[in-house]
Amino acid sequence: MGTGFDFEIIEHDERARAGIFHTPHGDLLTPVFAPVGTQGTVKSVTPAQLEQLDASLVLANTYHLYLRPGDKVIADLGGLHQFMHWDKPLLTDSGGFQVFSLAESRRISDDGVTFKSHIDGSTHELTPEKSIAIQENLGADIIMAFDECGSPYDIAKNETAMLRTHHWVERCITVKTRSDQALFGIIQGGIYPELRIRSAEFLASLDLPGYAIGGLSVGETKKETLSTLELVDQYLPETKPRYLMGVGSPEDLVRGVQRGVDIFDCVLPTRLARHHAAMTRTGRINIANARYSTEKSPLDENCSCYTCKNFSSAYIRHLVLAKEMLAATLLSIHNLHMLITLMNDIRQAIMNHQFDHFATNFLENWESAL
Amino acid sequence: MGTGFDFEIIEHDERARAGIFHTPHGDLLTPVFAPVGTQGTVKSVTPAQLEQLDASLVLANTYHLYLRPGDKVIADLGGLHQFMHWDKPLLTDSGGFQVFSLAESRRISDDGVTFKSHIDGSTHELTPEKSIAIQENLGADIIMAFDECGSPYDIAKNETAMLRTHHWVERCITVKTRSDQALFGIIQGGIYPELRIRSAEFLASLDLPGYAIGGLSVGETKKETLSTLELVDQYLPETKPRYLMGVGSPEDLVRGVQRGVDIFDCVLPTRLARHHAAMTRTGRINIANARYSTEKSPLDENCSCYTCKNFSSAYIRHLVLAKEMLAATLLSIHNLHMLITLMNDIRQAIMNHQFDHFATNFLENWESAL
C-alpha cells in the first residue's frame, strides 16, 4: 500500500524514537500528543489558541460527527479541516470504540455493528465500509480501521474480536479510495500475549503506514498495559509510527515513549480543566481548594503558558467558584501546554540520548507528589 | 474636585460628540461601548481576545466582586486590573442597582441598604461610604456614586430616591481618597422632567468628572427614555462625559449618541451569544435555526471578526446544537466586534460631520429588518 506518508526516525534512544511523520497538512514531530476535538472542537479553546499552544495533531471522533452534523454536511462544507478551521494534521478514529462505549442497544455481527444513537435513539449501522466512507467524507490525514475492542480478561471473546478486527481491516483497505489519507490498523488481543503477537504479526504483514495499539486502558492493570506495549514493540515494524489510543496522563506518556510509542491522544487535559484540575509536572492540583483563595502565584511557577504568565491561582479559583467559562478555558490552555511541552522535552531528551535519565527524573518527581 | 481626568471634545456634530477621556490606564476614544465583566471576566472570552477586539473600557460589578471573592482579596492581589489581567481602563458600578435587582430581602434607609446575598443568604450592608471603600479596593479608573434607582412611574418614590441619591453622592465625595479614580454622579428622577432637571442641576453643581443617567431602561417606554436623554442633555455641563448605564442594543447606542451620550455598557452582546444570537447591522439572527444547517457563509458577510473570517454559520450552529462552549466564545467575539466597530464608525461619522446621515441610514436598515 503506497501512501506517501513517510515516517523518518531521526534518533533512537533505547526503545524510544524521535521521528517525523509527513502528512498532507504538514509534518508531525514525534513523539506527539494529540488534543481531542470530539465534536469538531477541542473543548473550551479556539483553533487560534491551539495554534498558539503549538498543537500539531488533533483527533476528532467519527461516531459523533457522523451522528451530528453528519459527515456529508461536513464534506459539503469542504471537509473537517475547513469545517473546524484546523489547517494542521487531523486524525479520526473509526467510530468503533464509541459505538461500544456510548451507543445504546448495539448488536454486533461479522458484518458490522447496529446501534442506537445516544442523541436521539435513531438506529444506525457501522461497518468497515461505512466507517471508511465517513472518514473519507471527513478527510482527516490519519484514519483508523474499524475494530472491535473486547473486554481485557476473556480470552475467547478477545480472540473473536481480534479475528473480526483482522477481517475488518482488510475490508477497510479494499474500499479505501483516497490517497491523501493514511489508514492505520489496530492491534487487539486484550492482555493475552499469544493474541497480541498474532495480531501484531498479521497487521505488520499488511504493510500499513501506521499501527495503533487498541484495547488498552480499558480496565486492565497498569503492569499489563506496559507489558503489552513491550511485547508488541517487538513485533511491529520499526519503520512505522505506533499510536497508543486514548492515553494521556503525563506518566503514561513517558512510559509509552519508553516502550516505542510515537503518537498519543486523550481528552484528559481538557476534561480535567472542566473539573477544576491543573496538571503540573509533579502531579495534579484542584484549584477549587480553599488553599488557593488568596494565592498570588500561578498554577505552576515554572510554566510559560498564557494562563500562568498572566493569572494568579486565586483568580482561577474565583472563576471556578463563580462558574465562569473562562475557568475551563484558562485551565485547558494550561493543561494542553503542559502535555505539549512535555512531549517536546521528551523529544529533545531522545535527540540528546538522555531520555532514560529524563524519564527516571520525571517519574520520581511525579510519584513523590502522589 | 480636581481629578486629572480630562475630557477633550474633539468634534461636535449636532448633539453628538467625539471626544477623548484621559484615564490612568489610557485614553478612551468616545463614544465608547464597554463590555461587561460582571465577576471580573467578560463572559466566554479571554482578556487577550478582548485586546484583539480593540475593547477599550470594561465594566465590572461591585456587588458581585464584594460578595465573591471579596474586594479585600482583590486589593491584596494588586487590584482588579491585575486580578483580571486588564491593563486598559476599568469602570465599576456602585453596587446599588444589583442590590435592588438581585439581592434578597433588602431594607433601605437614609443611611444605606441592608440586604441578603443572592449567593449564600448572608446579611450585608451597603452605604455610600462602603461602596466607595469597596471601589477603592477594586481600583477601577471610573467609579460610580452609590444611588437609589426608583421605579419609573411613581413621582413620590422617585423624588425620595433622587434626594437620597443627592445626599449619598455628597457622602461619596467626602470619603473618597484616591486621586487616580474619577467619581461619576448619577442622575435620577424617573420619567418626570421636573425631577430630572433638579437632579441634573444639582449634580452639575458638584463639578464631577462625569455624569451617568440612571434609572433608564428599567420599564419606561422608548419614547420616555429618549425624551429624558434630550432633557438632561440641556442641563449637564458640555465639557464632561455622559454615561448611559446598561444600554447596549445597536439602535439604542445610535440614538443615545444622537442625544449627547459618550459612554455605554451592556451585557447584551455576551448574553445574546450564550443564547445563540448574533447581532448584525440589520438585526439579530438565531444561529440555532435549521436554515443555517448547511450554510457556508459566516454570521455576517460584511464582518471582519475572527469568527466571521474563519467559520461558517453551519459550524457555529453545530457547536450550539452540540452544546460546545466554543459556540458562546465565537458568538461573543462576533457580537462584541459588532458593537465596538459600530462605535468606531459612529465616531468617524461625527468627525466627518456625517453622523446624522449615518444614523438615519443605520436606523432604516435596522428597522427594515425587524
Side-chain angles (χ1 to χ4, degrees):
Chain A
M1 228 183 110
T3 61
F5 285 83
D6 293 327
F7 183 55
E8 297 175 60
I9 296 182
I10 307 298
E11 204 64 69
H12 277 95
D13 189 8
E14 308 274 333
R15 301 304 309 152
R17 310 113 63 83
I20 303 176
F21 189 58
H22 300 281
T23 87
H25 287 86
D27 291 345
L28 291 178
L29 303 186
T30 62
V32 63
F33 173 78
V36 175
T38 298
Q39 306 193 97
T41 160
V42 177
K43 287 185 195 299
S44 319
V45 297
T46 65
Q49 286 164 337
L50 276 183
E51 279 274 346
Q52 283 155 17
L53 286 165
D54 217 17
S56 58
L57 174 67
V58 169
L59 177 142
N61 288 114
T62 287
Y63 169 85
H64 291 83
L65 294 173
Y66 158 70
L67 290 177
R68 183 173 58 197
D71 51 295
K72 290 192 187 72
V73 168
I74 292 176
D76 286 345
L77 290 160
L80 186 57
H81 283 93
Q82 190 174 329
F83 186 62
M84 65 186 284
H85 188 53
W86 182 250
D87 298 330
K88 295 208 270 182
L90 277 177
L91 184 157
T92 47
D93 61 8
S94 70
F97 186 77
Q98 273 71 31
V99 166
F100 293 107
S101 60
L102 288 180
E104 290 163 23
S105 58
R106 56 192 175 276
R107 200 157 35 81
I108 189 163
S109 72
D110 288 341
D111 191 45
V113 189
T114 309
F115 63 95
K116 289 196 171 160
S117 158
H118 75 292
I119 298 170
D120 62 5
S122 56
T123 301
H124 300 266
E125 189 180 23
L126 265 185
T127 61
E129 292 76 14
K130 181 124 182 218
S131 174
I132 295 300
I134 296 168
Q135 292 187 79
E136 292 198 341
N137 274 335
L138 298 176
D141 303 271
I142 301 171
I143 65 176
M144 302 302 299
F146 193 63
D147 66 324
E148 181 182 349
C149 173
S151 59
Y153 293 121
D154 182 321
I155 192 164
K157 280 192 186 159
N158 268 285
E159 185 170 18
T160 307
M162 180 197 76
L163 291 172
R164 222 171 234 153
T165 297
H166 294 180
H167 292 135
W168 286 355
V169 66
E170 291 185 308
R171 285 162 59 188
C172 289
I173 293 167
T174 303
V175 297
K176 179 180 184 300
T177 66
R178 287 179 64 159
S179 61
D180 59 346
Q181 297 184 300
L183 175 68
F184 280 26
I186 304 179
I187 293 156
Q188 290 292 350
I191 57 153
Y192 302 99
E194 62 277 26
L195 297 183
R196 288 289 180 178
I197 292 170
R198 270 171 72 191
S199 193
E201 285 183 336
F202 174 78
L203 284 159
S205 76
L206 300 175
D207 192 26
L208 291 163
Y211 296 98
I213 305 124
L216 290 180
S217 293
V218 292
E220 80 284 4
T221 66
K222 196 74 91 180
K223 204 175 152 199
E224 287 164 340
T225 315
L226 297 179
S227 65
T228 303
L229 289 179
E230 284 159 17
L231 181 70
V232 297
D233 174 41
Q234 302 167 48
Y235 292 87
L236 285 174
E238 275 287 332
T239 56
K240 301 294 176 66
R242 293 100 175 260
Y243 166 30
L244 181 53
M245 305 181 81
V247 163
S249 76
E251 77 276 27
D252 288 345
L253 297 179
V254 171
R255 292 197 178 105
V257 172
Q258 279 182 315
R259 288 155 182 85
V261 177
D262 306 294
I263 302 174
F264 303 84
D265 81 279
C266 197
V267 297
L268 195 68
T270 48
R271 178 170 291 169
L272 285 178
R274 296 195 304 285
H275 292 88
H276 324 143
M279 305 166 95
T280 78
R281 292 211 179 179
T282 53
R284 287 182 202 165
I285 61 175
N286 184 337
I287 201 66
N289 194 299
R291 85 171 74 160
Y292 300 109
S293 56
T294 58
E295 182 55 59
K296 286 183 173 62
S297 63
L299 296 172
D300 182 345
E301 298 265 22
N302 300 313
C303 180
S304 63
C305 79
Y306 172 70
T307 303
C308 288
K309 276 193 303 185
N310 297 307
F311 302 94
S312 63
S313 296
Y315 179 67
I316 298 168
R317 178 177 186 269
H318 164 65
L319 295 177
V320 166
L321 267 60
K323 302 195 196 314
E324 287 284 355
M325 287 195 220
L326 187 59
T329 299
L330 294 182
L331 285 163
S332 292
I333 286 173
H334 170 78
N335 288 347
L336 289 168
H337 179 267
M338 191 273 174
L339 291 191
I340 290 167
T341 55
L342 173 62
M343 296 310 276
N344 291 344
D345 290 353
I346 287 173
R347 191 173 197 273
Q348 197 54 53
I350 297 168
M351 299 293 277
N352 298 341
H353 294 275
Q354 296 178 331
F355 179 59
D356 188 50
H357 176 70
F358 177 94
T360 305
N361 251 350
F362 181 89
L363 293 171
E364 269 173 15
N365 283 328
W366 184 264
E367 280 154 10
S368 71
L370 293 180
Chain B
M1 227 184 113
T3 62
F5 285 84
D6 293 327
F7 182 54
E8 296 175 61
I9 296 182
I10 307 297
E11 204 63 71
H12 277 95
D13 190 6
E14 308 274 333
R15 300 305 308 152
R17 311 113 63 83
I20 303 175
F21 189 57
H22 300 282
T23 87
H25 287 85
D27 291 346
L28 291 177
L29 303 187
T30 62
V32 64
F33 173 79
V36 175
T38 297
Q39 305 193 101
T41 159
V42 176
K43 288 186 195 297
S44 317
V45 298
T46 65
Q49 287 164 336
L50 277 183
E51 279 272 348
Q52 283 155 18
L53 285 164
D54 216 18
S56 57
L57 175 66
V58 169
L59 177 141
N61 288 116
T62 288
Y63 168 85
H64 291 83
L65 295 172
Y66 158 70
L67 290 178
R68 183 174 58 199
D71 50 294
K72 290 192 188 72
V73 168
I74 293 177
D76 286 345
L77 290 160
L80 186 56
H81 283 93
Q82 189 172 331
F83 185 62
M84 64 187 284
H85 189 52
W86 183 250
D87 297 330
K88 297 208 271 182
L90 277 177
L91 184 157
T92 47
D93 62 7
S94 69
F97 186 77
Q98 273 72 30
V99 167
F100 293 107
S101 61
L102 287 180
E104 290 163 21
S105 58
R106 56 192 175 276
R107 200 157 37 79
I108 188 164
S109 71
D110 288 341
D111 191 46
V113 189
T114 309
F115 63 95
K116 287 192 172 163
S117 159
H118 75 291
I119 299 170
D120 61 8
S122 56
T123 301
H124 300 266
E125 189 178 24
L126 263 187
T127 61
E129 292 76 14
K130 182 124 181 219
S131 174
I132 295 300
I134 296 168
Q135 292 187 78
E136 292 198 340
N137 273 336
L138 297 176
D141 303 270
I142 301 173
I143 65 176
M144 303 302 298
F146 193 63
D147 67 323
E148 181 183 349
C149 172
S151 58
Y153 293 121
D154 183 320
I155 191 165
K157 280 191 186 160
N158 268 285
E159 185 170 17
T160 307
M162 181 197 77
L163 290 172
R164 224 171 230 154
T165 297
H166 294 179
H167 292 134
W168 286 355
V169 66
E170 291 186 306
R171 283 163 59 186
C172 289
I173 293 168
T174 302
V175 297
K176 179 180 184 298
T177 65
R178 286 179 65 158
S179 61
D180 59 346
Q181 296 184 301
L183 175 68
F184 280 27
I186 303 178
I187 293 158
Q188 290 291 352
I191 57 152
Y192 302 100
E194 62 277 26
L195 296 183
R196 287 288 180 179
I197 292 170
R198 268 170 74 191
S199 193
E201 285 183 336
F202 174 79
L203 283 159
S205 76
L206 299 176
D207 192 27
L208 292 163
Y211 296 98
I213 305 126
L216 291 179
S217 294
V218 291
E220 80 285 3
T221 68
K222 197 73 92 178
K223 204 175 151 197
E224 288 164 338
T225 316
L226 297 179
S227 64
T228 303
L229 290 179
E230 284 158 18
L231 182 70
V232 298
D233 175 40
Q234 303 166 47
Y235 292 87
L236 285 173
E238 275 289 330
T239 55
K240 300 294 176 65
R242 291 98 175 261
Y243 166 30
L244 181 54
M245 305 179 81
V247 163
S249 76
E251 76 278 26
D252 289 345
L253 297 179
V254 170
R255 292 197 178 105
V257 172
Q258 280 183 314
R259 288 157 182 84
V261 177
D262 307 293
I263 302 173
F264 303 84
D265 81 279
C266 198
V267 297
L268 196 68
T270 48
R271 179 170 291 169
L272 285 177
R274 296 194 305 283
H275 293 87
H276 323 146
M279 305 165 96
T280 78
R281 292 209 179 180
T282 54
R284 288 181 203 167
I285 61 175
N286 185 337
I287 201 67
N289 194 299
R291 83 171 76 161
Y292 300 109
S293 57
T294 59
E295 182 55 59
K296 287 183 172 64
S297 64
L299 296 173
D300 182 346
E301 297 266 22
N302 301 312
C303 180
S304 63
C305 79
Y306 172 70
T307 304
C308 288
K309 276 192 303 186
N310 298 307
F311 302 94
S312 64
S313 296
Y315 180 67
I316 298 168
R317 177 175 186 270
H318 164 66
L319 296 177
V320 166
L321 267 59
K323 301 195 194 316
E324 287 284 355
M325 286 195 219
L326 187 59
T329 298
L330 294 183
L331 285 164
S332 293
I333 286 172
H334 170 78
N335 288 346
L336 289 168
H337 180 268
M338 191 273 172
L339 291 191
I340 289 167
T341 55
L342 174 61
M343 296 311 275
N344 291 345
D345 290 353
I346 286 174
R347 191 173 197 274
Q348 197 54 53
I350 297 169
M351 300 292 276
N352 298 340
H353 294 275
Q354 296 177 331
F355 179 58
D356 189 50
H357 177 69
F358 177 93
T360 305
N361 251 351
F362 181 89
L363 294 171
E364 268 173 16
N365 283 329
W366 185 265
E367 279 154 10
S368 71
L370 293 180

